[in-house]
Amino acid sequence: MSLSSPTSACSSSRCYSSGLSFPIGFGSNPINVGLVCYPKRYSIAARKFVVACSSSSSDPLLVKAAKGQAISRPPAWMMRQAGRYMAVYQKLAKKHPSFRERSENTDLIVEISLQPWQAFRPDGVIIFSDILTPLPAFGVPFDIEEVKGPVIQSPIRTEEDLKRLHPIDFEKLQFVGDSLKILRREVGEHAAVLGFVGAPWTIATYIVEGGTTRTYTVIKNMCHTAPDVLRALLSHLTKAITEYVVYQVEHGAHCIQIFDSWGGQLTPEMWERWSKPYIEEIIHAVKKRCPDTPIVFYINGNGGLLERMKGTGADVIGLDWTVDMADGRRRLGSEVSVQGNVDPAYLFSPLPALTEEIERVVKCAGPKGHILNLGHGVLVGTPEEAVAHFFETARNLDYQTLFQNHVPAEKAEPELVV
């Protein structure tokens, strides 16, 4: 989550074009591509990245599942699958202790994003980034303190504060676009490259509160004391986030996940008023411009919001582990795909128990339109053996075997197992 792309002169480990530069630290012996020099391993095409805008039989498994197409098994990935629990990441983090450096430096982003791909071969490779990464690109600088986490020194709470905002500047986010191009090239069609954004309400909580909060009292108070200022902020965020989604798709993301991480802190009525309309606007605008890109929508603590989430137009609704998958399927119906929702703590259980839970979740989700995932991010200290087992189990699943007495997948309604 940072915006410190280097701009110094090109050396053997740096690349530049038209005066812009960014580090590519993999391998050696750079090759020339027009005016740009890149190392052999992770080169970026000089031309604009072309993204297909029509359904294809070559779509990765995850994309097919998101679209509700018939497939042989559920694709699998994990939220926060890159980082914190992996020894190779911890080693890299000691060498590069700044999170902003790790998440705003192209070569580090690519290396970290590919670590779980190289180790476990998930069906989705998500860019290593943060929902706050784009903030400085539209006028909200921030720092990260080791104990406090994100800190915004100048929160936005008044009409005067709103004047600091400006349209999103993608020159300050070039490392995101370059990283997605490289990831798309590295994984090919073997896995889906995932981009992501924060929802306007969730981003606004940081901007208004000045950082992380447990109570959300300042922004919730603004809903009543300064509603026009808050609406203006949310509208600005909606436009910026929409452009950021399209930017990620244009640079290689097969699929986008929207995180309304703190939407669950609102009452359902307040979420309908202060979060849902802005998410709907983003999804509607993206669908017009990128009609073949599936959108996954996730809220932490979403049990009371599932039916309302369905109304946003998202292709996939992510369930946290506090919602029973069978109940979630009943409430959402078969016309929307689902993602989730194994409890991350199961990765600390004996492997046979993990296998049993994975199979239970998959059976509850049914033989169509399900992306296997955790109900939240991978926990610190999770054994890598368990992560490997999670993905191996997913690869070995077969819908025909699991649902032997079921109608064909292309005609199926989700099977609900309580």
Side-chain angles (χ1 to χ4, degrees):
M1 119 182 90
S2 157
L3 299 152
S4 50
S5 252
T7 55
S8 55
C10 182
S11 69
S12 62
S13 62
R14 294 184 186 272
C15 309
Y16 66 93
S17 174
S18 303
L20 297 175
S21 68
F22 52 92
I24 302 287
F26 298 108
S28 56
N29 301 322
I31 58 176
N32 290 317
V33 184
L35 297 177
V36 191
C37 62
Y38 298 106
K40 290 180 180 178
R41 185 177 174 193
Y42 294 122
S43 62
I44 305 173
R47 60 184 173 78
K48 181 179 174 67
F49 196 94
V50 178
V51 179
C53 286
S54 60
S55 184
S56 167
S57 60
S58 65
D59 279 344
L61 194 67
L62 188 149
V63 174
K64 292 180 179 179
K67 294 176 179 179
Q69 297 173 4
I71 51 178
S72 61
R73 67 167 178 88
W77 71 284
M78 291 182 179
M79 289 183 281
R80 289 181 175 167
Q81 69 186 12
R84 51 193 199 169
Y85 70 99
M86 294 188 74
V88 65
Y89 173 82
Q90 293 165 3
K91 181 178 179 182
L92 182 147
K94 288 180 181 179
K95 186 177 179 181
H96 302 277
S98 166
F99 178 80
R100 292 195 64 169
E101 180 191 7
R102 297 194 298 273
S103 62
E104 298 180 10
N105 177 303
T106 301
D107 58 342
L108 295 178
I109 293 170
V110 172
E111 181 176 0
I112 295 167
S113 302
L114 290 176
Q115 285 174 348
W117 165 249
Q118 292 161 348
F120 311 118
R121 283 299 191 265
D123 295 298
V125 174
I126 190 166
I127 184 171
F128 183 76
S129 187
D130 191 86
I131 60 173
L132 301 187
T133 292
L135 265 60
F138 54 78
V140 185
F142 70 95
D143 298 309
I144 296 181
E145 296 182 4
E146 192 163 331
V147 177
K148 285 187 175 182
V151 175
I152 294 170
Q153 298 291 351
S154 301
I156 292 178
R157 298 171 182 170
T158 67
E159 287 188 20
E160 187 65 25
D161 296 336
L162 290 170
K163 295 177 182 178
R164 301 199 301 268
L165 299 174
H166 57 73
I168 192 165
D169 178 3
F170 287 109
E171 287 190 5
K172 294 182 178 179
L173 293 169
Q174 184 179 348
F175 55 87
V176 173
D178 290 337
S179 298
L180 286 167
K181 286 182 184 180
I182 296 170
L183 291 173
R184 180 73 175 255
R185 182 175 224 169
E186 284 297 301
V187 305
E189 299 303 323
H190 300 292
V193 173
L194 304 169
F196 69 93
V197 295
W201 168 264
T202 288
I203 299 298
T205 65
Y206 291 94
I207 294 174
V208 170
E209 298 278 349
T212 304
T213 176
R214 293 181 181 273
T215 60
Y216 307 90
T217 51
V218 178
I219 190 168
K220 286 184 178 183
N221 186 49
M222 270 187 77
C223 293
H224 308 288
T225 60
D228 291 342
V229 174
L230 184 55
R231 287 191 194 99
L233 172 60
L234 290 168
S235 294
H236 186 90
L237 292 175
T238 298
K239 292 181 177 64
I241 292 166
T242 298
E243 295 302 320
Y244 189 40
V245 170
V246 173
Y247 177 81
Q248 291 184 53
V249 173
E250 289 179 343
H251 286 77
H254 288 99
C255 185
I256 298 291
Q257 177 152 318
I258 298 174
F259 286 90
D260 196 5
S261 303
W262 309 131
Q265 298 295 321
L266 291 167
T267 66
E269 187 275 333
M270 290 290 280
W271 185 81
E272 285 269 4
R273 184 185 304 179
W274 292 104
S275 186
K276 183 181 179 180
Y278 304 98
I279 293 168
E280 285 180 318
E281 186 176 336
I282 292 169
I283 292 175
H284 178 73
V286 171
K287 287 295 181 183
K288 287 183 68 174
R289 296 167 66 179
C290 310
D292 199 49
T293 301
I295 296 177
V296 183
F297 179 30
Y298 173 82
I299 297 177
N300 185 27
N302 60 12
L305 298 171
L306 289 187
E307 292 83 359
R308 292 171 169 86
M309 292 173 70
K310 179 182 175 182
T312 61
D315 301 280
V316 185
I317 302 299
L319 306 180
D320 72 18
W321 76 91
T322 66
V323 179
D324 182 78
M325 178 59 79
D327 183 49
R329 268 302 203 186
R330 263 192 295 270
R331 293 167 61 186
L332 291 168
S334 60
E335 63 269 28
V336 64
S337 295
V338 291
Q339 178 176 277
N341 67 338
V342 175
D343 183 347
Y346 259 99
L347 294 169
F348 292 85
S349 303
L351 297 185
L354 176 58
T355 301
E356 184 178 341
E357 177 62 5
I358 290 170
E359 291 179 351
R360 186 194 69 81
V361 167
V362 171
K363 287 178 181 178
C364 287
K368 186 180 178 184
H370 175 221
I371 299 169
L372 181 63
N373 205 319
L374 303 179
H376 199 268
V378 185
L379 298 171
V380 175
T382 296
E384 292 186 46
E385 177 191 17
V387 176
H389 183 76
F390 181 96
F391 289 116
E392 183 181 1
T393 300
R395 279 190 295 272
N396 289 332
L397 291 174
D398 177 72
Y399 281 143
Q400 190 170 0
T401 302
L402 284 172
F403 301 96
Q404 287 180 354
N405 299 320
H406 206 276
V407 294
E410 63 271 15
K411 299 179 182 179
E413 293 293 322
E415 178 169 277
L416 304 180
V417 179
V418 180

